[in-house]
mmCIF file of all heavy atoms in Angstrom:
data_model
loop_
_atom_site.group_PDB
_atom_site.id
_atom_site.type_symbol
_atom_site.label_atom_id
_atom_site.label_comp_id
_atom_site.label_asym_id
_atom_site.label_seq_id
_atom_site.Cartn_x
_atom_site.Cartn_y
_atom_site.Cartn_z
ATOM 1 N N ARG A 1 -14.511 7.002 12.385
ATOM 2 C CA ARG A 1 -13.061 6.837 12.403
ATOM 3 C C ARG A 1 -12.622 5.858 11.326
ATOM 4 O O ARG A 1 -13.282 4.852 11.071
ATOM 5 C CB ARG A 1 -12.587 6.357 13.776
ATOM 6 C CG ARG A 1 -12.832 7.361 14.899
ATOM 7 C CD ARG A 1 -12.500 6.763 16.262
ATOM 8 N NE ARG A 1 -11.102 6.396 16.343
ATOM 9 C CZ ARG A 1 -10.112 7.229 16.669
ATOM 10 N NH1 ARG A 1 -10.383 8.486 16.914
ATOM 11 N NH2 ARG A 1 -8.874 6.820 16.744
ATOM 12 N N TYR A 2 -11.492 6.142 10.705
ATOM 13 C CA TYR A 2 -10.970 5.274 9.648
ATOM 14 C C TYR A 2 -9.487 5.547 9.466
ATOM 15 O O TYR A 2 -8.949 6.533 9.983
ATOM 16 C CB TYR A 2 -11.694 5.521 8.316
ATOM 17 C CG TYR A 2 -11.345 6.851 7.701
ATOM 18 C CD1 TYR A 2 -10.286 6.973 6.798
ATOM 19 C CD2 TYR A 2 -12.052 8.010 8.026
ATOM 20 C CE1 TYR A 2 -9.948 8.192 6.243
ATOM 21 C CE2 TYR A 2 -11.722 9.226 7.474
ATOM 22 C CZ TYR A 2 -10.679 9.323 6.580
ATOM 23 O OH TYR A 2 -10.342 10.533 6.036
ATOM 24 N N ARG A 3 -8.836 4.679 8.706
ATOM 25 C CA ARG A 3 -7.466 4.930 8.274
ATOM 26 C C ARG A 3 -7.242 4.203 6.949
ATOM 27 O O ARG A 3 -7.705 3.076 6.771
ATOM 28 C CB ARG A 3 -6.447 4.478 9.315
ATOM 29 C CG ARG A 3 -6.549 3.039 9.763
ATOM 30 C CD ARG A 3 -5.567 2.759 10.875
ATOM 31 N NE ARG A 3 -5.736 1.428 11.450
ATOM 32 C CZ ARG A 3 -5.100 0.995 12.520
ATOM 33 N NH1 ARG A 3 -4.230 1.780 13.118
ATOM 34 N NH2 ARG A 3 -5.299 -0.212 13.005
ATOM 35 N N VAL A 4 -6.548 4.869 6.060
ATOM 36 C CA VAL A 4 -6.238 4.277 4.756
ATOM 37 C C VAL A 4 -4.988 3.432 4.929
ATOM 38 O O VAL A 4 -3.895 3.953 5.176
ATOM 39 C CB VAL A 4 -6.019 5.366 3.689
ATOM 40 C CG1 VAL A 4 -5.617 4.734 2.360
ATOM 41 C CG2 VAL A 4 -7.277 6.205 3.518
ATOM 42 N N VAL A 5 -5.147 2.116 4.799
ATOM 43 C CA VAL A 5 -4.025 1.205 5.051
ATOM 44 C C VAL A 5 -3.287 0.836 3.764
ATOM 45 O O VAL A 5 -2.153 0.377 3.816
ATOM 46 C CB VAL A 5 -4.501 -0.069 5.779
ATOM 47 C CG1 VAL A 5 -4.986 0.266 7.182
ATOM 48 C CG2 VAL A 5 -5.602 -0.784 5.000
ATOM 49 N N ARG A 6 -3.942 1.007 2.615
ATOM 50 C CA ARG A 6 -3.258 0.762 1.335
ATOM 51 C C ARG A 6 -3.664 1.859 0.365
ATOM 52 O O ARG A 6 -4.844 1.965 0.012
ATOM 53 C CB ARG A 6 -3.631 -0.609 0.751
ATOM 54 C CG ARG A 6 -2.976 -1.787 1.447
ATOM 55 C CD ARG A 6 -3.224 -3.073 0.685
ATOM 56 N NE ARG A 6 -2.576 -3.054 -0.617
ATOM 57 C CZ ARG A 6 -3.053 -3.690 -1.693
ATOM 58 N NH1 ARG A 6 -4.169 -4.358 -1.631
ATOM 59 N NH2 ARG A 6 -2.394 -3.628 -2.832
ATOM 60 N N PRO A 7 -2.736 2.687 -0.062
ATOM 61 C CA PRO A 7 -3.075 3.783 -0.978
ATOM 62 C C PRO A 7 -3.250 3.294 -2.407
ATOM 63 O O PRO A 7 -3.053 2.115 -2.719
ATOM 64 C CB PRO A 7 -1.868 4.713 -0.851
ATOM 65 C CG PRO A 7 -0.735 3.811 -0.489
ATOM 66 C CD PRO A 7 -1.325 2.715 0.346
ATOM 67 N N PHE A 8 -3.584 4.217 -3.272
ATOM 68 C CA PHE A 8 -3.829 3.909 -4.681
ATOM 69 C C PHE A 8 -2.514 3.766 -5.440
ATOM 70 O O PHE A 8 -1.527 4.433 -5.147
ATOM 71 C CB PHE A 8 -4.654 5.051 -5.298
ATOM 72 C CG PHE A 8 -4.822 4.954 -6.785
ATOM 73 C CD1 PHE A 8 -5.783 4.133 -7.341
ATOM 74 C CD2 PHE A 8 -4.003 5.690 -7.639
ATOM 75 C CE1 PHE A 8 -5.950 4.050 -8.710
ATOM 76 C CE2 PHE A 8 -4.161 5.618 -9.010
ATOM 77 C CZ PHE A 8 -5.140 4.789 -9.547
ATOM 78 N N GLY A 9 -2.534 2.881 -6.443
ATOM 79 C CA GLY A 9 -1.432 2.792 -7.391
ATOM 80 C C GLY A 9 -0.365 1.773 -7.026
ATOM 81 O O GLY A 9 -0.481 1.003 -6.073
ATOM 82 N N ARG A 10 0.697 1.812 -7.815
ATOM 83 C CA ARG A 10 1.812 0.885 -7.663
ATOM 84 C C ARG A 10 2.863 1.508 -6.754
ATOM 85 O O ARG A 10 3.236 2.672 -6.945
ATOM 86 C CB ARG A 10 2.410 0.587 -9.046
ATOM 87 C CG ARG A 10 3.495 -0.473 -9.059
ATOM 88 C CD ARG A 10 3.977 -0.694 -10.497
ATOM 89 N NE ARG A 10 5.031 -1.686 -10.566
ATOM 90 C CZ ARG A 10 4.828 -2.989 -10.645
ATOM 91 N NH1 ARG A 10 3.596 -3.464 -10.661
ATOM 92 N NH2 ARG A 10 5.832 -3.841 -10.705
ATOM 93 N N ARG A 11 3.350 0.747 -5.799
ATOM 94 C CA ARG A 11 4.353 1.298 -4.886
ATOM 95 C C ARG A 11 5.220 0.180 -4.308
ATOM 96 O O ARG A 11 4.804 -0.976 -4.199
ATOM 97 C CB ARG A 11 3.686 2.072 -3.745
ATOM 98 C CG ARG A 11 2.907 1.191 -2.772
ATOM 99 C CD ARG A 11 2.426 1.968 -1.574
ATOM 100 N NE ARG A 11 1.876 1.078 -0.563
ATOM 101 C CZ ARG A 11 2.128 1.159 0.728
ATOM 102 N NH1 ARG A 11 2.920 2.093 1.177
ATOM 103 N NH2 ARG A 11 1.596 0.324 1.595
ATOM 104 N N GLN A 12 6.426 0.575 -3.964
ATOM 105 C CA GLN A 12 7.361 -0.315 -3.280
ATOM 106 C C GLN A 12 6.956 -0.396 -1.813
ATOM 107 O O GLN A 12 6.688 0.619 -1.188
ATOM 108 C CB GLN A 12 8.779 0.242 -3.395
ATOM 109 C CG GLN A 12 9.826 -0.463 -2.538
ATOM 110 C CD GLN A 12 10.156 -1.850 -3.060
ATOM 111 O OE1 GLN A 12 10.356 -2.011 -4.236
ATOM 112 N NE2 GLN A 12 10.199 -2.823 -2.176
ATOM 113 N N HIS A 13 6.884 -1.619 -1.279
ATOM 114 C CA HIS A 13 6.502 -1.761 0.127
ATOM 115 C C HIS A 13 7.541 -1.055 0.994
ATOM 116 O O HIS A 13 8.746 -1.232 0.806
ATOM 117 C CB HIS A 13 6.415 -3.233 0.516
ATOM 118 C CG HIS A 13 5.661 -3.464 1.779
ATOM 119 N ND1 HIS A 13 6.195 -3.217 3.026
ATOM 120 C CD2 HIS A 13 4.401 -3.901 1.997
ATOM 121 C CE1 HIS A 13 5.309 -3.504 3.948
ATOM 122 N NE2 HIS A 13 4.202 -3.917 3.352
ATOM 123 N N PRO A 14 7.093 -0.214 1.945
ATOM 124 C CA PRO A 14 8.052 0.579 2.733
ATOM 125 C C PRO A 14 8.954 -0.239 3.641
ATOM 126 O O PRO A 14 10.011 0.233 4.049
ATOM 127 C CB PRO A 14 7.141 1.502 3.561
ATOM 128 C CG PRO A 14 5.819 0.792 3.615
ATOM 129 C CD PRO A 14 5.700 0.065 2.317
ATOM 130 N N GLU A 15 8.557 -1.463 3.960
ATOM 131 C CA GLU A 15 9.327 -2.260 4.915
ATOM 132 C C GLU A 15 9.944 -3.520 4.298
ATOM 133 O O GLU A 15 10.986 -3.981 4.770
ATOM 134 C CB GLU A 15 8.434 -2.679 6.103
ATOM 135 C CG GLU A 15 7.739 -1.523 6.806
ATOM 136 C CD GLU A 15 8.705 -0.579 7.478
ATOM 137 O OE1 GLU A 15 9.851 -0.983 7.729
ATOM 138 O OE2 GLU A 15 8.318 0.577 7.737
ATOM 139 N N LEU A 16 9.308 -4.067 3.276
ATOM 140 C CA LEU A 16 9.754 -5.344 2.708
ATOM 141 C C LEU A 16 10.427 -5.099 1.353
ATOM 142 O O LEU A 16 9.761 -4.686 0.392
ATOM 143 C CB LEU A 16 8.562 -6.284 2.527
ATOM 144 C CG LEU A 16 7.839 -6.681 3.821
ATOM 145 C CD1 LEU A 16 6.564 -7.432 3.498
ATOM 146 C CD2 LEU A 16 8.740 -7.517 4.713
ATOM 147 N N PRO A 17 11.727 -5.328 1.248
ATOM 148 C CA PRO A 17 12.406 -5.150 -0.037
ATOM 149 C C PRO A 17 11.915 -6.177 -1.053
ATOM 150 O O PRO A 17 11.499 -7.283 -0.700
ATOM 151 C CB PRO A 17 13.881 -5.359 0.314
ATOM 152 C CG PRO A 17 13.866 -6.189 1.555
ATOM 153 C CD PRO A 17 12.631 -5.800 2.301
ATOM 154 N N HIS A 18 11.950 -5.779 -2.312
ATOM 155 C CA HIS A 18 11.551 -6.640 -3.427
ATOM 156 C C HIS A 18 10.059 -6.965 -3.406
ATOM 157 O O HIS A 18 9.622 -7.854 -4.134
ATOM 158 C CB HIS A 18 12.346 -7.956 -3.436
ATOM 159 C CG HIS A 18 13.825 -7.775 -3.272
ATOM 160 N ND1 HIS A 18 14.579 -7.006 -4.137
ATOM 161 C CD2 HIS A 18 14.697 -8.217 -2.328
ATOM 162 C CE1 HIS A 18 15.845 -7.010 -3.754
ATOM 163 N NE2 HIS A 18 15.936 -7.735 -2.641
ATOM 164 N N VAL A 19 9.277 -6.276 -2.589
ATOM 165 C CA VAL A 19 7.826 -6.483 -2.582
ATOM 166 C C VAL A 19 7.175 -5.225 -3.149
ATOM 167 O O VAL A 19 7.269 -4.146 -2.556
ATOM 168 C CB VAL A 19 7.289 -6.771 -1.167
ATOM 169 C CG1 VAL A 19 5.763 -6.824 -1.181
ATOM 170 C CG2 VAL A 19 7.844 -8.086 -0.646
ATOM 171 N N VAL A 20 6.555 -5.351 -4.310
ATOM 172 C CA VAL A 20 5.872 -4.242 -4.965
ATOM 173 C C VAL A 20 4.380 -4.565 -5.001
ATOM 174 O O VAL A 20 3.984 -5.658 -5.428
ATOM 175 C CB VAL A 20 6.408 -4.016 -6.395
ATOM 176 C CG1 VAL A 20 5.653 -2.883 -7.073
ATOM 177 C CG2 VAL A 20 7.899 -3.700 -6.353
ATOM 178 N N THR A 21 3.561 -3.652 -4.537
ATOM 179 C CA THR A 21 2.112 -3.870 -4.530
ATOM 180 C C THR A 21 1.444 -2.874 -5.472
ATOM 181 O O THR A 21 1.974 -1.793 -5.734
ATOM 182 C CB THR A 21 1.543 -3.699 -3.113
ATOM 183 O OG1 THR A 21 1.821 -2.365 -2.637
ATOM 184 C CG2 THR A 21 2.144 -4.706 -2.156
ATOM 185 N N GLU A 22 0.296 -3.269 -5.978
ATOM 186 C CA GLU A 22 -0.483 -2.397 -6.866
ATOM 187 C C GLU A 22 -1.931 -2.438 -6.425
ATOM 188 O O GLU A 22 -2.480 -3.515 -6.174
ATOM 189 C CB GLU A 22 -0.341 -2.839 -8.318
ATOM 190 C CG GLU A 22 -0.951 -1.855 -9.291
ATOM 191 C CD GLU A 22 -0.472 -2.064 -10.715
ATOM 192 O OE1 GLU A 22 0.304 -3.007 -10.951
ATOM 193 O OE2 GLU A 22 -0.873 -1.278 -11.591
ATOM 194 N N ASN A 23 -2.540 -1.272 -6.322
ATOM 195 C CA ASN A 23 -3.904 -1.173 -5.821
ATOM 196 C C ASN A 23 -4.720 -0.314 -6.780
ATOM 197 O O ASN A 23 -4.325 0.809 -7.104
ATOM 198 C CB ASN A 23 -3.906 -0.564 -4.412
ATOM 199 C CG ASN A 23 -5.219 -0.803 -3.685
ATOM 200 O OD1 ASN A 23 -6.140 -1.400 -4.232
ATOM 201 N ND2 ASN A 23 -5.317 -0.345 -2.452
ATOM 202 N N ALA A 24 -5.859 -0.845 -7.228
ATOM 203 C CA ALA A 24 -6.720 -0.108 -8.148
ATOM 204 C C ALA A 24 -7.585 0.913 -7.428
ATOM 205 O O ALA A 24 -8.283 1.702 -8.080
ATOM 206 C CB ALA A 24 -7.606 -1.076 -8.919
ATOM 207 N N GLY A 25 -7.543 0.902 -6.093
ATOM 208 C CA GLY A 25 -8.315 1.865 -5.308
ATOM 209 C C GLY A 25 -7.582 2.167 -4.018
ATOM 210 O O GLY A 25 -6.349 2.242 -3.993
ATOM 211 N N ILE A 26 -8.329 2.347 -2.937
ATOM 212 C CA ILE A 26 -7.735 2.511 -1.612
ATOM 213 C C ILE A 26 -8.411 1.537 -0.658
ATOM 214 O O ILE A 26 -9.595 1.227 -0.813
ATOM 215 C CB ILE A 26 -7.871 3.962 -1.077
ATOM 216 C CG1 ILE A 26 -9.342 4.405 -1.047
ATOM 217 C CG2 ILE A 26 -7.036 4.917 -1.909
ATOM 218 C CD1 ILE A 26 -9.551 5.777 -0.430
ATOM 219 N N ASP A 27 -7.656 1.032 0.306
ATOM 220 C CA ASP A 27 -8.193 0.134 1.326
ATOM 221 C C ASP A 27 -8.331 0.910 2.628
ATOM 222 O O ASP A 27 -7.353 1.481 3.121
ATOM 223 C CB ASP A 27 -7.281 -1.068 1.518
ATOM 224 C CG ASP A 27 -7.324 -2.008 0.311
ATOM 225 O OD1 ASP A 27 -8.074 -1.715 -0.632
ATOM 226 O OD2 ASP A 27 -6.589 -2.999 0.304
#
């Protein structure tokens, strides 16, 4: 069992405005 909690690439946080995250892989 697993779940991807952070996808790949740059994205706007779905809940927190003005928070942009960038991920070189997947978590």
